[in-house]
Amino acid sequence: MSTAAIHAGWSAQDRHRAVTPPVYASSAYAHPDHASLKALFQRRQEGFAYSRSGNPTTVVLEERITALEGGIDAIAVASGQAATSIALCALAAPGGHVVASSLLYGGTTEFLDDTLADFGVNTTVVDPWDLDAWERAITPATRAVIVESIANPGAQLVDLDAISEIAHARDVPVVVDSTLASPALYRPGDHGADLVVHSATKYLCGHGTTIGGLIVDTGSFDARRCPERWERLTTLNRRFGVTFADEYERGGSGLLAYARAKYVTDFGATLPAASAQQILVGIETLDLRMGKISADAALLAARLHEAAGVARVDHPTIPGRPDAALAERDFPRGTSGVLALELAGGEEAAAAFCDALELWTLAVNIGDARSLVCHPGSTTHSHLTPAQREACGVSPGTVRLSVGLEDLEDLWSDLERGLTAAARTTAEVPALVG
Ligand SMILES: Cc1ncc(COP(=O)(O)O)c(C=O)c1O
């Protein structure tokens, strides 16, 4: 893992033998003659024409994440949101059906509920721990199931092997948002996932500098198994003049070739080359970072669980969590740096807690080197209905923590400051005498 994180996709092979993958800041690429550019557009030749659909720096990132996830191909896109939306459009639009875990990032739930619904795609939401519910929800129209390997913000884990078995028995591909885990902690492809999506903005980049997203094909989905169902891949595409499923014969991904040609190009959700390089640099230290972050998050979760004024802590190591056995079985290196706590005093206590912190930064991001805090109910999950918020474990008193790389004791003493401020909001006001 740590070797591939540094070397996969690049070996100082450019003209100047640059050690670090350079930023190819070029919109277009010159060709020696008419025949060369024509062959590229006819998909008879590999190469670059225009950076909206391919860039040499971005390709290094695509090769690196493919190696880290043990996949066959990847596409880098403009954001994690673009990764999820393009993956689901490629599988399910128009008119398909998706089965989604109730424990998803708020932006994904909103996309499913609103924008993907505009494409005629309906979604059935299920409790990811209820395997019978997955079984019941899949219909002949289902084109994808989607889960998070570690959910945001409660760090809930899923039995992906079991969910994949249910989906694959009905020939339905499994999409896993593995943003929180990153390949350093968990490889969804080893547990049945067909597509892995990442918000590279988070742990892969690791320093809060860049927005980016990735879609990885793990190699288990082959549209040719159900040619009628995936006829957009298995029949000749008039616009592009190719049958995308032919990619499988070359060891590539028919699905990602289709997603890149159609959705990345049409939606224009391209990852800038400079962003690809930032993410590549971040990935070099991913393995080191994820171990410390996961260990520190577990220690802070245990202390918060004992703290006064905290009604609940959401983290797989907390006694009574139904996913404790999954943590032991599938996450030997830990479960990443995100945890949620519910303050007994509700939103007022949560606001006082956030405002009192000096070291933790109040910001709606995770996976930064800096520790971050936010109130999901009024930010990342604020556009959901109260029922949707409840289904993903977000209440008015919920605070999300994203543990960074600072000293653990510094982080803890700041959290104690926050807890003291939260306690003041619920302390009984002394009765006035006289
Ligand atoms: C689990 C998860 N998936 C996807 C996204 C969307 O990623 P981005 O903000 O890079 O579009 C986020 C963002 O917070 C996330 O936490």
Side-chain angles (χ1 to χ4, degrees):
M1 173 64 59
S2 38
T3 304
I6 291 168
H7 295 283
W10 185 255
S11 54
Q13 73 269 46
D14 77 334
R15 208 171 123 226
H16 306 292
R17 306 190 64 76
V19 170
T20 301
V23 178
Y24 281 89
S26 184
S27 310
Y29 302 84
H31 282 254
D33 51 36
H34 165 81
S36 162
L37 200 49
K38 182 173 175 180
L40 201 64
F41 270 74
Q42 290 177 334
R43 307 178 76 84
R44 286 187 290 107
Q45 185 178 296
E46 300 264 303
F48 301 99
Y50 189 61
S51 277
R52 172 147 50 84
S53 39
N55 171 283
T57 311
T58 307
V59 166
V60 181
L61 174 60
E62 291 169 344
E63 288 182 11
R64 190 159 299 175
I65 193 70
T66 302
L68 293 175
E69 290 289 8
I72 57 165
D73 197 4
I75 316 181
V77 288
S79 64
Q81 196 66 35
T84 307
S85 55
I86 287 173
L88 290 177
C89 281
L91 286 169
H97 172 247
V98 172
V99 182
S101 161
S102 57
L103 300 174
L104 291 178
Y105 162 63
T108 307
T109 302
E110 287 180 49
F111 168 72
L112 291 167
D113 227 29
D114 187 9
T115 306
L116 198 58
D118 290 346
F119 286 70
V121 178
N122 291 317
T123 301
T124 304
V125 177
V126 297
D127 171 351
W129 287 335
D130 181 353
L131 294 178
D132 291 339
W134 288 102
E135 188 88 57
R136 283 193 306 273
I138 296 174
T139 73
T142 307
R143 295 290 175 269
V145 307
I146 179 163
V147 292
E148 289 181 12
S149 50
I150 304 178
N152 174 7
Q156 295 90 345
L157 313 175
V158 291
D159 189 346
L160 186 55
D161 299 83
I163 295 168
S164 300
E165 205 180 310
I166 292 167
H168 290 164
R170 318 270 280 275
D171 273 315
V172 173
V174 177
V175 181
V176 176
D177 182 336
S178 207
T179 296
L180 271 68
S182 89
L185 298 179
Y186 185 79
R187 291 212 316 197
D190 297 342
H191 301 269
D194 300 287
L195 284 191
V196 182
V197 293
H198 285 287
S199 166
T201 313
K202 319 296 184 195
Y203 293 99
L204 293 173
C205 173
H207 297 79
T209 60
T210 305
I211 301 280
L214 296 160
I215 313 172
V216 186
D217 186 327
T218 65
S220 46
F221 172 75
D222 187 336
R224 295 172 302 178
R225 277 200 296 272
C226 291
E228 289 98 55
R229 178 181 297 182
W230 306 105
E231 51 111 16
R232 279 171 296 142
L233 303 179
T234 56
T235 56
L236 180 70
N237 184 300
R238 298 218 175 280
R239 173 178 167 198
F240 297 106
V242 293
T243 301
F244 286 103
D246 291 349
E247 277 297 319
Y248 295 117
E249 257 140 54
R250 295 187 276 275
S253 165
L255 180 65
L256 291 195
Y258 171 70
R260 186 195 293 277
K262 183 177 168 102
Y263 289 106
V264 178
T265 307
D266 285 357
F267 291 165
T270 308
L271 183 73
S275 301
Q277 198 213 35
Q278 288 276 311
I279 297 164
L280 279 163
V281 171
I283 288 175
E284 291 181 357
T285 56
L286 177 72
D287 207 36
L288 271 180
R289 287 185 281 112
M290 294 314 281
K292 172 175 162 55
I293 282 174
S294 299
D296 287 359
L299 285 166
L300 292 174
R303 291 187 193 179
L304 286 164
H305 178 61
E306 299 296 327
V310 177
R312 200 179 79 211
V313 176
D314 277 329
H315 190 269
T317 54
I318 297 302
R321 269 279 290 243
D323 51 353
L326 286 172
E328 207 151 292
R329 188 188 79 183
D330 295 341
F331 291 83
R333 302 193 59 210
T335 58
S336 195
V338 173
L339 62 137
L341 60 138
E342 188 184 332
L343 290 162
E347 183 166 354
E348 201 190 338
F353 176 87
C354 293
D355 288 346
L357 297 176
E358 291 173 8
L359 180 57
W360 294 71
T361 304
L362 180 62
V364 285
N365 194 16
I366 56 173
D368 197 325
R370 278 150 283 273
S371 291
L372 307 176
V373 59
C374 87
H375 179 251
S378 61
T379 57
T380 53
H381 292 65
S382 62
H383 298 143
L384 304 184
T385 63
Q388 285 173 323
R389 273 198 290 275
E390 198 186 315
C392 50
V394 172
S395 74
T398 300
V399 171
R400 180 181 73 188
L401 301 180
S402 169
V403 179
L405 292 167
E406 301 95 333
D407 178 81
L408 179 74
E409 296 309 327
D410 289 340
L411 291 175
W412 175 244
S413 52
D414 203 34
L415 290 179
E416 285 183 311
R417 184 179 297 121
L419 291 172
T420 305
R424 271 193 221 111
T425 63
T426 51
E428 275 182 39
V429 181
L432 288 175
V433 180

CSV table of all heavy atoms in Angstrom, one decimal, residues 78-82 84 105 108 148 150 152 177 179-180 198-202 211-213 364-366 380 400, ligand 1:
chain,number,residue,atom,x,y,z
A,78,ALA,N,-14.3,16.2,-10.9
A,78,ALA,CA,-14.1,17.5,-10.2
A,78,ALA,C,-14.4,17.5,-8.7
A,78,ALA,O,-13.9,18.4,-8.0
A,78,ALA,CB,-15.0,18.5,-10.9
A,79,SER,N,-15.2,16.5,-8.2
A,79,SER,CA,-15.5,16.5,-6.8
A,79,SER,C,-16.0,15.1,-6.4
A,79,SER,O,-16.3,14.3,-7.3
A,79,SER,CB,-16.6,17.5,-6.4
A,79,SER,OG,-17.8,17.2,-7.1
A,80,GLY,N,-16.1,14.9,-5.1
A,80,GLY,CA,-16.7,13.6,-4.7
A,80,GLY,C,-18.2,13.5,-5.1
A,80,GLY,O,-18.7,12.5,-5.5
A,81,GLN,N,-18.8,14.7,-5.1
A,81,GLN,CA,-20.2,14.7,-5.5
A,81,GLN,C,-20.3,14.4,-7.0
A,81,GLN,O,-21.3,13.6,-7.4
A,81,GLN,CB,-20.8,16.2,-5.3
A,81,GLN,CG,-22.3,16.3,-5.4
A,81,GLN,CD,-23.0,15.6,-4.2
A,81,GLN,OE1,-22.5,15.6,-3.1
A,81,GLN,NE2,-24.1,15.0,-4.5
A,82,ALA,N,-19.4,14.8,-7.8
A,82,ALA,CA,-19.4,14.4,-9.3
A,82,ALA,C,-19.1,12.9,-9.4
A,82,ALA,O,-19.7,12.3,-10.3
A,82,ALA,CB,-18.3,15.2,-10.0
A,84,THR,N,-20.0,10.5,-7.3
A,84,THR,CA,-21.2,9.7,-7.0
A,84,THR,C,-22.3,9.9,-8.1
A,84,THR,O,-22.9,9.0,-8.6
A,84,THR,CB,-21.8,10.2,-5.7
A,84,THR,OG1,-20.8,10.1,-4.7
A,84,THR,CG2,-23.0,9.4,-5.2
A,105,TYR,N,-23.9,10.3,3.2
A,105,TYR,CA,-23.6,11.8,3.2
A,105,TYR,C,-24.8,12.6,2.7
A,105,TYR,O,-25.5,12.2,1.8
A,105,TYR,CB,-22.4,12.0,2.3
A,105,TYR,CG,-22.2,13.5,1.9
A,105,TYR,CD1,-21.9,14.4,2.9
A,105,TYR,CD2,-22.2,13.8,0.6
A,105,TYR,CE1,-21.7,15.8,2.5
A,105,TYR,CE2,-22.0,15.2,0.2
A,105,TYR,CZ,-21.8,16.1,1.2
A,105,TYR,OH,-21.6,17.4,0.8
A,108,THR,N,-25.4,13.2,-0.9
A,108,THR,CA,-25.7,12.1,-1.8
A,108,THR,C,-27.2,11.8,-1.6
A,108,THR,O,-27.9,11.6,-2.6
A,108,THR,CB,-25.0,10.8,-1.3
A,108,THR,OG1,-23.6,11.1,-1.3
A,108,THR,CG2,-25.2,9.6,-2.2
A,148,GLU,N,-22.1,3.5,2.1
A,148,GLU,CA,-20.8,4.0,2.5
A,148,GLU,C,-20.1,3.0,3.3
A,148,GLU,O,-20.7,2.4,4.2
A,148,GLU,CB,-20.9,5.3,3.3
A,148,GLU,CG,-21.4,6.5,2.4
A,148,GLU,CD,-21.5,7.8,3.2
A,148,GLU,OE1,-21.1,7.9,4.3
A,148,GLU,OE2,-22.1,8.7,2.6
A,150,ILE,N,-17.7,3.4,5.5
A,150,ILE,CA,-17.8,4.0,6.9
A,150,ILE,C,-18.7,5.2,6.7
A,150,ILE,O,-18.4,6.1,5.9
A,150,ILE,CB,-16.4,4.4,7.4
A,150,ILE,CG1,-15.4,3.3,7.4
A,150,ILE,CG2,-16.6,5.0,8.8
A,150,ILE,CD1,-14.0,3.6,7.9
A,152,ASN,N,-20.8,8.7,7.2
A,152,ASN,CA,-20.6,10.1,7.7
A,152,ASN,C,-22.0,10.6,8.2
A,152,ASN,O,-22.9,10.6,7.4
A,152,ASN,CB,-20.1,10.9,6.5
A,152,ASN,CG,-20.0,12.4,6.8
A,152,ASN,OD1,-20.1,12.8,7.9
A,152,ASN,ND2,-19.7,13.1,5.7
A,177,ASP,N,-19.3,4.2,-1.5
A,177,ASP,CA,-18.6,5.5,-1.2
A,177,ASP,C,-17.6,5.2,-0.1
A,177,ASP,O,-18.0,4.9,1.1
A,177,ASP,CB,-19.6,6.6,-0.8
A,177,ASP,CG,-18.9,7.9,-0.5
A,177,ASP,OD1,-17.7,7.9,-0.2
A,177,ASP,OD2,-19.6,8.9,-0.6
A,179,THR,N,-15.1,7.1,1.0
A,179,THR,CA,-14.3,8.4,1.3
A,179,THR,C,-13.7,8.3,2.7
A,179,THR,O,-12.5,8.7,2.9
A,179,THR,CB,-15.3,9.5,1.3
A,179,THR,OG1,-15.8,9.7,-0.1
A,179,THR,CG2,-14.7,10.8,1.7
A,180,LEU,N,-14.5,7.9,3.7
A,180,LEU,CA,-13.9,7.9,5.1
A,180,LEU,C,-12.9,6.9,5.3
A,180,LEU,O,-11.9,7.1,6.0
A,180,LEU,CB,-15.1,7.8,6.1
A,180,LEU,CG,-15.7,9.1,6.5
A,180,LEU,CD1,-16.5,9.7,5.4
A,180,LEU,CD2,-16.6,8.9,7.8
A,198,HIS,N,-14.9,8.0,-4.3
A,198,HIS,CA,-14.2,8.7,-3.3
A,198,HIS,C,-14.4,10.2,-3.4
A,198,HIS,O,-14.4,10.7,-4.6
A,198,HIS,CB,-12.7,8.6,-3.4
A,198,HIS,CG,-12.2,7.2,-2.9
A,198,HIS,ND1,-12.2,6.9,-1.6
A,198,HIS,CD2,-11.7,6.2,-3.6
A,198,HIS,CE1,-11.7,5.7,-1.5
A,198,HIS,NE2,-11.4,5.2,-2.7
A,199,SER,N,-14.6,10.9,-2.3
A,199,SER,CA,-14.4,12.3,-2.3
A,199,SER,C,-12.9,12.4,-2.0
A,199,SER,O,-12.5,12.3,-0.8
A,199,SER,CB,-15.2,13.1,-1.2
A,199,SER,OG,-14.7,14.4,-1.1
A,200,ALA,N,-12.1,12.7,-3.0
A,200,ALA,CA,-10.6,12.8,-2.8
A,200,ALA,C,-10.3,14.1,-2.0
A,200,ALA,O,-9.1,14.3,-1.5
A,200,ALA,CB,-9.9,12.8,-4.1
A,201,THR,N,-11.3,15.0,-1.8
A,201,THR,CA,-11.2,16.2,-1.0
A,201,THR,C,-10.7,15.9,0.4
A,201,THR,O,-10.1,16.7,1.0
A,201,THR,CB,-12.6,16.8,-1.0
A,201,THR,OG1,-13.1,16.9,-2.3
A,201,THR,CG2,-12.6,18.2,-0.4
A,202,LYS,N,-11.1,14.7,0.9
A,202,LYS,CA,-10.9,14.3,2.3
A,202,LYS,C,-9.6,13.7,2.6
A,202,LYS,O,-8.6,14.3,2.5
A,202,LYS,CB,-12.1,13.5,2.7
A,202,LYS,CG,-13.5,13.8,2.2
A,202,LYS,CD,-13.9,15.2,2.6
A,202,LYS,CE,-15.3,15.5,2.1
A,202,LYS,NZ,-15.8,16.8,2.2
A,211,ILE,N,-10.6,20.2,-3.9
A,211,ILE,CA,-11.8,19.4,-4.1
A,211,ILE,C,-11.5,18.5,-5.3
A,211,ILE,O,-11.0,18.9,-6.3
A,211,ILE,CB,-13.0,20.4,-4.5
A,211,ILE,CG1,-13.2,21.4,-3.4
A,211,ILE,CG2,-14.2,19.6,-4.8
A,211,ILE,CD1,-14.0,21.0,-2.2
A,212,GLY,N,-11.9,17.2,-5.1
A,212,GLY,CA,-11.7,16.2,-6.2
A,212,GLY,C,-12.5,15.0,-5.9
A,212,GLY,O,-12.9,14.7,-4.8
A,213,GLY,N,-12.7,14.2,-7.0
A,213,GLY,CA,-13.4,12.9,-6.8
A,213,GLY,C,-12.9,11.8,-7.7
A,213,GLY,O,-12.2,12.1,-8.7
A,364,VAL,N,-17.0,22.9,7.5
A,364,VAL,CA,-17.8,21.7,7.0
A,364,VAL,C,-16.9,20.9,6.0
A,364,VAL,O,-17.1,20.8,4.8
A,364,VAL,CB,-19.1,22.1,6.2
A,364,VAL,CG1,-20.1,22.5,7.2
A,364,VAL,CG2,-18.8,23.2,5.2
A,365,ASN,N,-15.9,20.3,6.6
A,365,ASN,CA,-15.0,19.3,5.8
A,365,ASN,C,-14.6,18.2,6.8
A,365,ASN,O,-14.8,18.4,8.0
A,365,ASN,CB,-13.8,20.1,5.3
A,365,ASN,CG,-13.1,19.3,4.2
A,365,ASN,OD1,-13.6,18.3,3.6
A,365,ASN,ND2,-11.8,19.7,3.9
A,366,ILE,N,-14.0,17.2,6.2
A,366,ILE,CA,-13.4,16.1,7.0
A,366,ILE,C,-12.1,15.8,6.4
A,366,ILE,O,-11.9,16.1,5.2
A,366,ILE,CB,-14.3,14.9,7.2
A,366,ILE,CG1,-14.7,14.3,5.8
A,366,ILE,CG2,-15.5,15.2,8.0
A,366,ILE,CD1,-15.5,13.0,5.8
A,380,THR,N,-24.3,20.3,6.9
A,380,THR,CA,-24.2,19.3,5.8
A,380,THR,C,-25.5,18.5,5.7
A,380,THR,O,-25.8,18.0,4.6
A,380,THR,CB,-23.1,18.3,6.2
A,380,THR,OG1,-23.3,17.8,7.5
A,380,THR,CG2,-21.7,18.9,6.1
A,400,ARG,N,-20.3,16.8,14.7
A,400,ARG,CA,-19.4,15.9,14.0
A,400,ARG,C,-17.9,16.4,14.3
A,400,ARG,O,-17.6,17.5,14.2
A,400,ARG,CB,-19.6,15.9,12.5
A,400,ARG,CG,-18.7,14.9,11.8
A,400,ARG,CD,-18.9,14.9,10.3
A,400,ARG,NE,-18.5,16.2,9.7
A,400,ARG,CZ,-18.7,16.5,8.4
A,400,ARG,NH1,-19.4,15.7,7.7
A,400,ARG,NH2,-18.3,17.6,7.9
B,1,LIG,C1,-18.8,10.5,2.4
B,1,LIG,C2,-18.8,11.7,1.4
B,1,LIG,N1,-19.0,11.4,0.1
B,1,LIG,C3,-19.1,12.4,-0.8
B,1,LIG,C4,-18.9,13.7,-0.4
B,1,LIG,C5,-18.9,14.8,-1.4
B,1,LIG,O1,-17.6,15.2,-1.7
B,1,LIG,P1,-17.1,16.6,-2.3
B,1,LIG,O2,-17.4,17.6,-1.3
B,1,LIG,O3,-15.7,16.4,-2.7
B,1,LIG,O4,-18.0,16.9,-3.5
B,1,LIG,C6,-18.6,14.0,0.9
B,1,LIG,C7,-18.4,15.4,1.4
B,1,LIG,O5,-18.4,15.8,2.5
B,1,LIG,C8,-18.6,13.0,1.9
B,1,LIG,O6,-18.4,13.2,3.2
